[in-house]
Amino acid sequence: MTSMTHDGPEITGGVDTHGSTHHAAVIGRPGRHLADREFPATVQGYRDLLDWMRSHGEPAAVGVEGTGAYGAELARVLTAAGVTVVDVDRPDRRTRRTRGKSDPIDAYAAVTAVASGRATGVPKSRDGTVEAVRVLRVTRRSAVKARTQAMNRIRSMLVSAPAVLREQLAGLERAAPIRTLARLRPGADLSTPLAATKAALRRPARRHQALDDETTELDTQIGPLVRQAAPELLALFGVGPETAGRLLASAGDNPERMRSESAFAHLAAVAPIPASSGRTRRHRLDRGGDRAANNALHTIVLVRIRYDERTRAYVARRTKEGLSKKDITRCLKRFVAREIYRALTAAPAEQIAQTDLAPAA
C-alpha cells in the first residue's frame, strides 16, 4: 500500500484487536466521538478499516492494542500506508471496573490514550531480519525446553530402573548415555519390568536426539542472520550469537524507536530504581522490563567478570568500597546496556567523561 494525502479534518483512531475481528473507533477535535465499527482480521479487513477511518478525515495517529500479538499485521499495514501507529496498553483493572468493558469502549479508550498523549510507544516494525531471528528463536527455545524435559524424564526413570540397566550406563559421559538408551532393544514381550523400562527409556532418548538435531539446525540458520543484522553487536566482548539474538529480538527491527540509552536500559530492566527512605540512600534492581534481554545482559556480565581483566579490576575495586555483589552486577549490567544500545543503533561512540569502569581501565 502507498501513502496517500486525504483532504479533510484531522482525526485520531484506535483499534481494539482480537484474533478474528478488530474493533475500530475514531474521534475528532476536540475529542468528539465520531464513529466505531468492527472489521474482520484479514488483509482485506485491514484495508477496509483504513479506508473507513479516512472517510472521516486524515488520521493523525492510530492507537493499536497488542501490536506484538493480534495487532501485529494491522500495525504493518497501517505503517506501510504512511499512518503513524502508536502502541497502546489495554486499560487497567481500575478503569475497567469504573467504565465497564466492551469492544467499542476499549477502542475509544485506545483513541483517548493517543489523543491525550498518555500512549506514545512506537511499536516494533517486525518486517526485517530481526523478526526472522525472533521467530526462529521461538522454535529453538521450545526445542531446548522439550529436550530438557526429555532428559529430566530419563534421569527420574533411571532412579528406580533395574540395576542391570543402570550399570550399563555407569561411567558414560555427555551424549553417550543418550546414544546407548536410543539403541536399546526391549523385544516384543514387555511383560517384565526390564523390557518395559527399556522401551520406556528408548522413546525419550530418541526424542532427545531429534530435538538436539533440531536445535543444531536452528543454530546454523540463526547464526548468519544475527551476523547480518548486527555485526557490531557480535564484536563486543562476551556477546555470542545466542545472547545477541535475544537482544535483537527485544530491540526489534527498528531500534531507533528507543530514543536514548536510558530507554533501552528500562526496556532491559537494568535502569536503577530509587529505593531510598529516610536516611537510607540506595537503588534496587528493576523488576520490570524484558526479562529475556535482562538475562542476556546478565550472561554477558558473568562472562566479563570471569575473562575480562578490566571488569575483574572494577569488581575488586567496588568490593573494597563496600558494594555488594548484587549492586556491582547491577552497575555492570547498566554499563553493558550502554554499549549494546550503541551497537544496536549504530550510534557513534561518544566519549564519556566519567563512568564507573573508567578507573578500572
Side-chain angles (χ1 to χ4, degrees):
M1 298 180 65
T2 58
S3 175
M4 300 176 62
T5 302
H6 294 257
D7 296 329
E10 189 176 86
I11 62 169
T12 305
V15 185
D16 178 33
T17 60
H18 300 278
S20 56
T21 61
H22 293 341
H23 201 99
V26 291
I27 63 174
R29 291 178 180 269
R32 183 168 60 91
H33 289 200
L34 297 179
D36 66 273
R37 182 177 169 185
E38 187 176 85
F39 295 89
T42 61
V43 174
Q44 187 59 45
Y46 303 144
R47 295 171 180 169
D48 292 342
L49 185 151
L50 178 58
D51 292 340
W52 174 81
M53 282 189 175
R54 282 177 166 167
S55 69
H56 294 84
E58 180 61 22
V62 176
V64 179
E65 278 192 21
T67 57
Y70 292 136
E73 183 61 24
L74 174 62
R76 281 191 285 260
V77 171
L78 294 176
T79 301
V83 178
T84 300
V85 179
V86 179
D87 189 14
V88 178
D89 294 332
R90 66 178 184 176
D92 57 29
R93 293 181 178 179
R94 179 180 179 182
T95 302
R96 293 194 174 191
R97 282 197 302 267
T98 56
R99 298 184 180 180
K101 176 178 175 14
S102 69
D103 292 348
I105 290 176
D106 288 348
Y108 277 117
V111 184
T112 305
V114 176
S116 64
R118 287 188 290 106
T120 59
V122 179
K124 296 179 183 178
S125 60
R126 299 181 183 275
D127 57 358
T129 305
V130 174
E131 178 65 8
V133 171
R134 186 192 69 82
V135 295
L136 289 173
R137 289 195 71 258
V138 170
T139 301
R140 183 190 183 279
R141 186 166 61 250
S142 175
V144 171
K145 183 178 180 179
R147 183 180 63 181
T148 302
Q149 291 175 339
M151 191 66 203
N152 291 339
R153 175 57 55 192
I154 291 172
R155 288 172 176 169
S156 64
M157 293 180 65
L158 284 174
V159 172
S160 59
V164 62
L165 189 57
R166 287 187 281 111
E167 291 173 2
Q168 187 177 351
L169 302 175
L172 299 181
E173 298 179 355
R174 297 183 181 273
I178 297 296
R179 290 195 300 268
T180 301
L181 293 174
R183 292 195 299 262
L184 289 176
R185 296 178 178 272
D189 184 11
L190 302 181
S191 59
T192 63
L194 179 60
T197 303
K198 286 183 178 180
L201 287 170
R202 184 173 65 172
R203 286 181 173 84
R206 292 182 175 180
R207 188 185 313 140
H208 186 284
Q209 287 180 327
L211 291 168
D212 195 50
D213 293 340
E214 181 180 333
T215 303
T216 302
E217 181 182 358
L218 286 168
D219 285 337
T220 60
Q221 294 172 343
I222 295 173
L225 294 177
V226 172
R227 286 190 290 272
Q228 175 186 340
E232 300 88 357
L233 191 59
L234 289 172
L236 297 177
F237 191 96
V239 181
E242 172 61 16
T243 52
R246 273 183 279 175
L247 292 167
L248 284 173
S250 299
D253 283 292
N254 52 335
E256 64 278 0
R257 67 193 178 91
M258 297 176 290
R259 299 179 178 86
S260 65
E261 66 176 64
S262 298
F264 176 70
H266 277 284
L267 173 67
V270 294
I273 304 298
S276 302
S277 178
R279 297 181 179 180
T280 303
R281 296 289 182 268
R282 71 181 188 90
H283 291 78
R284 65 167 174 81
L285 292 171
D286 187 358
R287 298 183 181 89
D290 191 320
R291 306 313 302 172
N294 186 277
N295 181 263
L297 293 178
H298 189 78
T299 302
I300 295 170
V301 167
L302 292 181
V303 172
R304 292 189 177 189
I305 289 175
R306 184 168 184 178
Y307 298 106
D308 183 28
E309 291 299 328
R310 188 172 72 142
T311 304
R312 297 175 67 177
Y314 169 79
V315 172
R317 178 174 63 84
R318 298 292 276 177
T319 301
K320 290 180 180 179
E321 293 175 359
L323 261 68
S324 65
K325 182 178 180 181
K326 181 183 294 185
D327 287 336
I328 294 173
T329 302
R330 176 184 59 77
C331 294
L332 287 170
K333 288 166 74 172
R334 181 62 181 87
F335 181 83
V336 172
R338 181 180 296 118
E339 291 185 340
I340 297 297
Y341 174 78
R342 289 172 178 167
L344 288 172
T345 58
E350 302 173 354
Q351 185 66 30
I352 303 175
Q354 176 67 32
T355 68
D356 286 334
L357 287 188

